[in-house]
């Protein structure tokens, strides 16, 4: 039977619940450090999450915030400064151990390694955030576990644009139908599907109710077999967490039931790297 060649991991919301208690808190601390009275509560941050990219999210908020600088250099510089501070504060939070990997993530990472399934990171968060999170939980040599790590700085267009997935495929020299993505959000799902990659959704706190049309499978997390659609194969009902066999079952099922998109052919040139 055809085996999955690689598993492509999203980061925020998928590897860990980083948004509500990580990025949001760090943004608020950055506002405070800059002497600004602005704060994002849990609800407002959820609305802002429709904008991917922390700096882009800030710019979207500043565009409607009374008292913020108007469009132009001053606004751009403020967003860049706040974003830099936010990332430094986020790293501190992560290093303190406050943000854990989601349950079931580590066992799947270990299983993929043990069974020789390649892995990659496909995220449009900043590289420093990924490094802080994975160094904290997997050790300083975490990157050796992944055949490709593509982050926000490596792409011109953040999710939902498929660029991050196209770049990972190019680095791995794999076709979209040889890999599977794990995502948590509609923009992440759109990015994967836009590259012709099937995706399994592990719902995260902020995207608990969203429509996930075109997903290969949708469930509450890798820690359980309960609540998944489609239901997993009988064999894996005896293991607590979602396994590589479960993922391969969904991947094969998606290949036969979900219409394929106009796929980039294997060997197509990767999008240009930003200067
Ligand atoms: C999630 C994002 C990021 C983070 C913040 O990306 O949209 O913007 O919220 O990180 P993914 P930055 O789900 O692909 O990991 O501030 O570094 O952008
Ligand atoms: Mg995500």
């Amino acid at each position: 039977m055809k085996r999955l060649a690689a598993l492509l991991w999203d980061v925020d919301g998928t590897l860990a619940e980083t948004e509500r208690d990580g990025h949001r808190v760090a943004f608020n601390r950055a506002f405070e450090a800059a002497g600004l009275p602005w704060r994002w509560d849990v609800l407002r941050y959820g609305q802002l999450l429709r904008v991917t990219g922390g700096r882009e999210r800030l710019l979207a908020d500043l565009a409607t915030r009374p008292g913020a600088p108007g469009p132009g250099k001053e606004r751009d510089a403020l967003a860049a400064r706040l974003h830099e501070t936010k990332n430094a504060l986020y790293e501190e939070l992560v290093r303190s151990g406050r943000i854990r990997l989601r349950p079931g993530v580590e066992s799947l990472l270990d299983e993929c390694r043990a069974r020789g399934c390649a892995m990659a990171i496909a995220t449009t968060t900043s590289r420093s955030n990924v490094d802080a999170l994975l160094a904290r939980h997997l050790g300083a040599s975490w990157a050796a576990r992944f055949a490709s790590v593509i982050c926000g700085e490596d792409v011109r267009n953040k999710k939902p644009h498929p660029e991050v997935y196209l770049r990972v495929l190019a680095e791995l020299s794999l076709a979209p139908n040889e890999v599977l993505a794990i995502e948590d959000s509609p923009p992440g799902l759109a990015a994967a599907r836009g590259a012709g990659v099937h995706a399994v959704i592990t719902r995260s706190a902020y995207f608990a109710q969203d429509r996930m049309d075109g997903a290969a499978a949708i469930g509450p997390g890798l820690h359980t077999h309960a609540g998944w659609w489609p239901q997993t194969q009988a064999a894996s009902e005896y293991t607590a967490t979602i396994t590589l066999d479960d993922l391969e079952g969904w991947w094969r099922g998606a290949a036969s039931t979900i219409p394929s998109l106009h796929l980039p052919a294997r060997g197509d040139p990767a999008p240009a790297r930003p200067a």
Side-chain angles (χ1 to χ4, degrees):
M1 208 182 308
K2 198 178 161 201
R3 305 306 306 261
L4 185 64
L7 188 59
L8 316 185
W9 291 88
D10 168 50
V11 174
D12 291 304
T14 299
L15 285 174
E17 280 284 5
T18 51
E19 296 291 6
R20 190 189 57 193
D21 304 329
H23 291 294
R24 185 187 70 87
V25 173
F27 273 117
N28 284 337
R29 289 183 182 172
F31 297 146
E32 197 179 349
L36 294 164
W38 311 333
R39 299 293 180 270
W40 287 343
D41 63 21
V42 170
L43 195 70
R44 174 69 181 144
Y45 193 68
Q47 295 162 347
L48 286 167
L49 271 184
R50 308 293 147 180
V51 181
T52 54
R55 198 179 55 82
E56 293 82 350
R57 195 167 298 141
L58 269 167
L59 284 169
D61 183 71
L62 296 186
T64 61
R65 184 172 284 281
K73 279 187 181 161
E74 197 192 339
R75 184 193 286 174
D76 292 351
L78 177 61
R81 223 169 39 244
L82 288 169
H83 185 239
E84 200 181 328
T85 309
K86 183 279 287 183
N87 275 356
L89 294 167
Y90 174 82
E91 279 177 51
E92 264 177 38
L93 265 175
V94 166
R95 292 213 170 94
S96 74
R98 177 164 168 173
I99 311 286
R100 293 166 184 275
L101 294 182
R102 289 184 65 180
V105 164
E106 205 158 352
S107 63
L108 187 58
L109 290 169
D110 290 345
E111 186 188 357
C112 287
R113 180 155 70 169
R115 295 180 62 183
C117 177
M119 290 188 289
I121 298 284
T123 177
T124 45
T125 198
S126 307
R127 190 169 285 269
S128 60
N129 298 338
V130 181
D131 185 44
L133 183 73
L134 292 183
R136 175 71 175 77
H137 295 289
L138 303 180
S141 57
W142 66 269
R145 292 196 185 206
F146 299 93
S148 171
V149 179
I150 301 292
C151 302
E153 293 88 341
D154 304 319
V155 294
R156 282 186 202 279
N157 307 288
K158 295 195 169 165
K159 296 175 186 176
H161 195 283
E163 185 177 351
V164 61
Y165 280 100
L166 295 173
R167 286 199 57 86
V168 168
L169 290 170
E171 278 206 357
L172 298 179
S173 298
L174 290 171
N177 64 1
E178 294 176 291
V179 306
L180 179 70
I182 306 193
E183 279 282 356
D184 69 302
S185 69
L189 174 61
R193 295 300 297 131
V197 171
H198 284 299
V200 163
I201 301 295
T202 53
R203 285 193 182 279
S204 59
Y206 272 120
F207 300 103
Q209 307 295 335
D210 291 67
R211 287 182 66 128
M212 300 285 182
D213 296 342
I218 305 168
L222 296 171
H223 60 292
T224 178
H225 281 96
W228 278 89
W229 180 90
Q231 284 186 335
T232 50
Q233 309 287 321
S236 51
E237 282 169 16
Y238 301 101
T239 63
T241 61
I242 297 298
T243 64
L244 192 49
D245 287 340
D246 295 316
L247 295 179
E248 288 191 323
W250 286 321
W251 172 65
R252 288 190 201 102
S256 58
T257 57
I258 300 175
S260 57
L261 304 172
H262 174 71
L263 306 183
R266 188 172 183 156
D268 272 2
R273 218 186 166 86

